[in-house]
Amino acid sequence: MGKLRALIFDVDGTLANTERDGHRVAFNRAFASSGLNWNWSVLLYGELLAIAGGKERIRFFIDEYRPDFEYPTDLDQFIADLHATKTRYYQQLVAEGCIPLRRGVKRLLKEAREQGMRLAIATTAALPNVTALLDHTLGSDSQSWFEVIAAGDIVPAKKPAPDVYHYVLKAMNLEAQDCLVFEDSHHGLLASSQAGLKTVVTVNTYTRYQNFSGALLVLNHLGEPDQPFTVFAGNAGDRIYLDMALAYHLHGK
Ligand code: XBP
Ligand code: MG
């Protein structure tokens, strides 16, 4: 077992609960402003999350839920434009402070940085959405905390394919065994485990009952000293929040 050299974070659902009150709302605003009478309810969006990537999700929705939709001549361009509008709405929501970081995230990042731990991001979401979230929650210099931010179309095959994780490992010149990943979803866990990476899962309402076999630990959140986590699977011993000591312990298992 190699030494722990890097933490790799997913963004949506992991750093922040972005999906229900962020991405979903932004999609709906983009539909409305584009004259489309589409509305993704909280429930429907849970189903659509099976498709990773905003552009891919829109295409899937058209194909599966809107058989009546008259395809524009250039469907790719139509989807790209709609998604660009959605991205602008999402950034507005983030700038308004609608999407806070999840419990324990800021504390763990701070401790990791103090120890000189290398950090990276591996996400399916588009890069401007990631940088907007980092800027507004962690400060304008926080992009530089992450040695690699692998986002959106940087790899053609999005999660659950492992490609984005392979990309990060290559860019950091690290082996899978050197890292610990933080994810929130079954798709994310599939991606990281297929790349051979050990993974901690912090679930959210959309992912609580997904299959997380193979995860080192499944938690409701990372916890804080005064707000302990709940362990859904795995063994955290007598720890009540995830700090670097627990990260090292889990990685060494
Ligand atoms: C995140 C996603 C993304 C966001 C939307 O998955 O599936 O598609 O919902 O982002 P993960 P964009 O957390 O597994 O990376 O609209 O920017 O694509
Ligand atoms: Mg996620």
Side-chain angles (χ1 to χ4, degrees), residues 141-162:
D141 68 327
S142 58
Q143 286 179 47
S144 68
W145 301 359
F146 299 90
E147 212 175 299
V148 179
I149 301 182
D153 299 328
I154 200 156
V155 289
K158 294 185 176 169
K159 298 176 191 175

Side-chain angles (χ1 to χ4, degrees), residues 42-58:
V42 171
L43 203 66
L44 171 62
Y45 195 67
E47 291 172 27
L48 297 174
L49 281 173
I51 307 301
K55 292 195 288 286
E56 293 79 356
R57 194 168 297 143
I58 294 171

Side-chain angles (χ1 to χ4, degrees), residues 87-179:
T87 298
R88 285 194 293 278
Y89 282 117
Y90 180 80
Q91 288 175 305
Q92 260 174 33
L93 285 165
V94 169
E96 286 162 14
C98 298
I99 306 168
L101 292 177
R102 294 195 65 189
R103 188 165 295 160
V105 166
K106 195 169 191 168
R107 173 189 50 72
L108 178 62
L109 286 173
K110 182 170 179 282
E111 190 189 358
R113 275 167 46 74
E114 283 164 2
Q115 296 190 6
M117 179 60 57
R118 295 170 68 186
L119 300 173
I121 280 177
T123 176
T124 292
L127 184 62
N129 293 338
V130 180
T131 53
L133 185 75
L134 293 178
D135 284 359
H136 289 283
T137 54
L138 291 167
S140 51
D141 68 327
S142 58
Q143 286 179 47
S144 68
W145 301 359
F146 299 90
E147 212 175 299
V148 179
I149 301 182
D153 299 328
I154 200 156
V155 289
K158 294 185 176 169
K159 298 176 191 175
D163 302 33
V164 70
Y165 282 107
H166 286 141
Y167 179 95
V168 169
L169 291 176
K170 190 162 180 227
M172 296 177 93
N173 197 21
L174 288 172
E175 301 291 332
Q177 62 182 24
D178 305 328
C179 306

Side-chain angles (χ1 to χ4, degrees), residues 19-248:
E19 297 290 8
R20 194 191 67 182
D21 302 327
H23 290 295
R24 185 186 68 87
V25 173
F27 279 114
N28 284 332
R29 288 187 182 169
F31 300 154
S33 76
S34 308
L36 297 159
N37 68 344
W38 304 345
N39 193 320
W40 290 358
S41 67
V42 171
L43 203 66
L44 171 62
Y45 195 67
E47 291 172 27
L48 297 174
L49 281 173
I51 307 301
K55 292 195 288 286
E56 293 79 356
R57 194 168 297 143
I58 294 171
R59 185 183 300 274
F60 174 80
F61 175 74
I62 294 172
D63 289 346
E64 298 297 322
Y65 292 76
R66 284 285 159 163
D68 53 325
F69 181 65
E70 275 190 41
Y71 280 50
T73 16
D74 190 343
L75 183 63
D76 287 350
Q77 192 57 51
F78 170 81
I79 291 175
D81 292 344
L82 192 54
H83 187 251
T85 307
K86 177 259 167 179
T87 298
R88 285 194 293 278
Y89 282 117
Y90 180 80
Q91 288 175 305
Q92 260 174 33
L93 285 165
V94 169
E96 286 162 14
C98 298
I99 306 168
L101 292 177
R102 294 195 65 189
R103 188 165 295 160
V105 166
K106 195 169 191 168
R107 173 189 50 72
L108 178 62
L109 286 173
K110 182 170 179 282
E111 190 189 358
R113 275 167 46 74
E114 283 164 2
Q115 296 190 6
M117 179 60 57
R118 295 170 68 186
L119 300 173
I121 280 177
T123 176
T124 292
L127 184 62
N129 293 338
V130 180
T131 53
L133 185 75
L134 293 178
D135 284 359
H136 289 283
T137 54
L138 291 167
S140 51
D141 68 327
S142 58
Q143 286 179 47
S144 68
W145 301 359
F146 299 90
E147 212 175 299
V148 179
I149 301 182
D153 299 328
I154 200 156
V155 289
K158 294 185 176 169
K159 298 176 191 175
D163 302 33
V164 70
Y165 282 107
H166 286 141
Y167 179 95
V168 169
L169 291 176
K170 190 162 180 227
M172 296 177 93
N173 197 21
L174 288 172
E175 301 291 332
Q177 62 182 24
D178 305 328
C179 306
L180 186 62
V181 168
F182 292 84
E183 273 284 358
D184 72 300
S185 70
H186 173 65
H187 274 358
L189 176 63
L190 271 182
S192 61
S193 357
Q194 287 183 91
L197 289 150
K198 292 186 169 184
T199 305
V200 171
V201 173
T202 49
V203 299
N204 55 63
T205 48
Y206 277 130
T207 66
R208 168 69 183 91
Y209 297 103
Q210 294 180 347
N211 175 3
F212 293 118
S213 51
L216 285 180
L217 197 59
V218 182
L219 305 168
N220 60 338
H221 50 66
L222 294 175
E224 291 287 11
D226 58 346
Q227 292 163 316
F229 56 43
T230 300
V231 179
F232 295 132
N235 188 352
D238 57 2
R239 316 297 175 89
I240 58 166
Y241 64 100
L242 200 147
D243 59 0
M244 284 308 296
L246 181 52
Y248 278 108

